[in-house]
Amino acid sequence: MMKRDVIIVGGGAAGFFAAINLAERSPNLNITILERGKEGLTKVKVSGGGRCNVAHAEFIPQALTLNYPRGEKELLGPFHQFMTSDTIEWFEKRGVALKIEDDGRMFPVSNSSQTIIDCFLNEAEKYGVEVLYNHSVKTINKIESIFKIETTQSVFSADKVLISTGSNPKIWSLLKDLGHTIIQPVPSLFTFNIKDDRIKDIPGVVAKDVEVQVLGTNLWSEGPLLITHWGMSAPSILKLSAFGALKLAKLDYKFQIEVNFIKHSFENCLEALKMIKQDLAKKSVFKSTQFDIPKRLWHKLVLASQMDEDTRWADVNKLKLENLASQLTKAVFNVDGKSTFKEEFVTAGGVNLKEVNFKTFESKKVEKLYFAGEVLNIDAVTGGFNFQNAWTGAYIAANAIAKPE
């Protein structure tokens, strides 16, 4: 049996961040990362389309927590200890400059996730962190004050253990055996599958600022909406998928949404259309796009209002004008299923947050067992927030583990 001071299970973002911070504070500790894959940091690699969306430019803890459908209350204290500005400083100290894009997402200036991966691998090597790949954990037991961990290749013992395996059902099962409650995981970030003539053949069209509501629920969001080959995506949809993760799972991902493409009431829209009808009487409705709607989408909504390409504004009767106002402000679409958002598979579910001390990220059930990242029942909307949770939890856990007893 190989003895270690600290074993970190999971060589992803949270695992490496914890190991590096811990090794920096306590260089005498013998620290090993056990990673089941042949390489680590795979989520870091694919995040943000290969650019790695490291964080989000939100610098007030209270406001930052609002991006976590699960974890909002628990993360307030931790964000006062380590949040966005600390993340920026941490990377910059290690030679990785970050930049803020217009939508608030933060990336390395290099625009390459490899910059983050190289930083972690170099820092881990510099501080003597041992990283063992192809070590899938089979059992975790605690005998008196010592942890015994068996992998597919070896058996280890350790004084302290940090679990940073993300959404891993096998590890959740082992944690259950140690006495933890696991909240059943469901997908959290996903796009909506919609088959509808109004969005057929126009993938890539973006309505810049819409309101979306899931009918029959209080789920509501706003922001850009992207029409895709399979339905709808972008922040307005992804926010609904995150905050509605549990409800939408119960509905088996079959429900209706109402989209307001112009963020005006039906009544205001109708009044505006009446004025346009007078001003553009001789022009074709199809060809005179209004309300900053993308042209291809306007065409589809006009046709859905029982008009054709040659209909002139002067010839539009009251019913067709109302139809068009409805399509613009309260278009109903049937959602039938979901698709993963890019490669970013995020789940709601994991270790029950009531069983974790958020001052240290230590288990309340098992002494000297710590957590960081998505192994906990914490998840966020898209935009760098899931990584911020990983950095914060890993940093605080590393501090707690490093403290002399």
Side-chain angles (χ1 to χ4, degrees):
M1 193 185 303
M2 291 189 268
K3 173 77 174 74
R4 300 289 186 270
D5 294 317
V6 181
I7 281 180
I8 293 171
V9 182
F16 267 89
F17 203 75
I20 293 161
N21 282 291
L22 178 55
E24 195 177 23
R25 274 164 196 63
S26 307
N28 300 328
L29 285 181
N30 195 304
I31 304 162
T32 296
I33 295 175
L34 299 176
E35 166 56 41
R36 65 177 172 168
K38 61 178 187 293
E39 59 180 355
L41 300 165
T42 48
K43 260 197 177 180
V44 170
K45 196 170 192 174
V46 299
S47 156
R51 296 195 298 142
C52 190
N53 185 185
V54 177
H56 200 95
E58 176 54 75
F59 299 95
I60 300 162
Q62 187 87 44
L64 185 59
T65 63
L66 299 177
N67 296 284
Y68 296 84
R70 282 144 293 272
E72 179 187 336
K73 182 164 58 78
E74 291 80 4
L75 287 173
L76 184 58
F79 283 156
H80 276 97
Q81 284 188 63
F82 190 94
M83 61 169 299
T84 319
S85 47
D86 305 295
T87 302
I88 296 167
E89 189 184 345
W90 193 94
F91 281 105
E92 286 191 343
K93 264 189 187 169
R94 289 154 184 84
V96 179
L98 303 180
K99 60 173 179 172
I100 301 171
E101 301 206 335
D102 291 345
D103 59 3
R105 292 183 303 159
M106 301 180 70
F107 296 90
V109 169
S110 66
N111 269 334
S112 170
S113 56
Q114 197 58 46
T115 307
I116 305 295
I117 292 169
D118 291 344
C119 169
F120 284 168
L121 295 176
N122 292 339
E123 290 289 303
E125 190 179 351
K126 174 178 160 186
Y127 290 110
V129 173
E130 180 182 41
V131 186
L132 299 177
Y133 298 104
N134 298 307
H135 274 260
S136 186
V137 170
K138 289 162 70 179
T139 62
I140 304 173
N141 294 300
K142 195 175 184 197
I143 300 141
E144 292 177 352
S145 63
I146 300 294
F147 288 94
K148 181 185 165 190
I149 296 180
E150 185 188 352
T151 75
T152 42
Q153 295 201 40
S154 198
V155 180
F156 300 85
S157 69
D159 299 322
K160 296 176 180 178
V161 170
L162 182 141
I163 308 289
S164 55
T165 46
S167 308
N168 184 328
K170 192 172 159 191
I171 298 296
W172 280 330
S173 174
L174 297 180
L175 291 172
K176 214 171 176 180
D177 294 343
L178 287 169
H180 271 286
T181 311
I182 304 301
I183 307 297
Q184 183 64 31
V186 296
S188 173
L189 273 190
F190 50 86
T191 60
F192 294 175
N193 293 356
I194 299 168
K195 281 185 180 156
D196 192 294
D197 282 343
R198 288 169 292 177
I199 59 170
K200 194 179 170 188
D201 306 324
I202 57 166
V205 165
V206 177
K208 284 182 186 158
D209 195 14
V210 308
E211 289 173 353
V212 189
Q213 185 181 357
V214 178
L215 293 178
T217 75
N218 58 358
L219 292 171
W220 173 92
S221 80
E222 59 186 349
L225 183 147
L226 169 69
I227 291 166
T228 68
H229 288 286
W230 57 89
M232 291 178 180
S233 183
S236 62
I237 298 298
L238 296 168
K239 276 186 229 168
L240 284 181
S241 77
F243 282 92
L246 304 180
K247 269 185 186 168
L248 301 183
K250 278 182 186 163
L251 295 171
D252 197 24
Y253 308 105
K254 290 176 173 61
F255 51 92
Q256 289 186 316
I257 57 169
E258 184 179 280
V259 181
N260 185 333
F261 288 107
I262 60 172
K263 288 178 89 170
H264 287 295
S265 68
F266 170 82
E267 291 74 21
N268 286 350
C269 176
L270 190 57
E271 285 309 308
L273 289 174
K274 283 175 183 172
M275 289 169 72
I276 293 163
K277 174 178 155 75
Q278 287 177 351
D279 294 343
L280 303 178
K282 291 183 179 176
K283 297 206 167 168
S284 135
V285 179
F286 188 83
K287 287 179 183 167
S288 39
T289 309
Q290 302 295 321
F291 304 106
D292 284 335
I293 285 219
K295 192 187 286 183
R296 291 195 291 160
L297 177 60
W298 173 264
H299 290 168
K300 291 280 190 179
L301 297 180
V302 168
L303 296 176
S305 308
Q306 296 166 339
M307 293 185 244
D308 58 39
E309 291 184 27
D310 301 319
T311 305
R312 295 182 313 152
W313 283 101
D315 303 326
V316 178
N317 62 24
K318 183 170 176 277
L319 177 63
K320 285 178 182 173
L321 216 54
E322 286 174 354
N323 286 348
L324 184 54
S326 286
Q327 291 295 341
L328 290 164
T329 62
K330 45 184 186 181
V332 175
F333 293 89
N334 293 316
V335 177
D336 186 9
K338 61 177 175 51
S339 296
T340 302
F341 172 61
K342 297 182 180 172
E343 300 85 0
E344 297 184 25
F345 188 73
V346 175
T347 57
V351 175
N352 189 328
L353 303 185
K354 291 190 175 80
E355 300 170 358
V356 179
N357 174 358
F358 280 91
K359 287 182 178 151
T360 57
F361 281 74
E362 185 178 7
S363 163
K364 289 180 182 175
K365 298 276 187 182
V366 184
E367 201 182 350
K368 296 180 183 177
L369 177 67
Y370 297 81
F371 303 104
E374 281 181 58
V375 67
L376 297 167
N377 183 28
I378 293 176
D379 62 288
V381 297
T382 185
F385 300 105
N386 281 301
F387 274 139
Q388 187 58 59
N389 166 46
W391 313 141
T392 296
Y395 182 86
I396 292 171
N399 273 354
I401 294 168
K403 274 189 182 158
E405 290 172 39

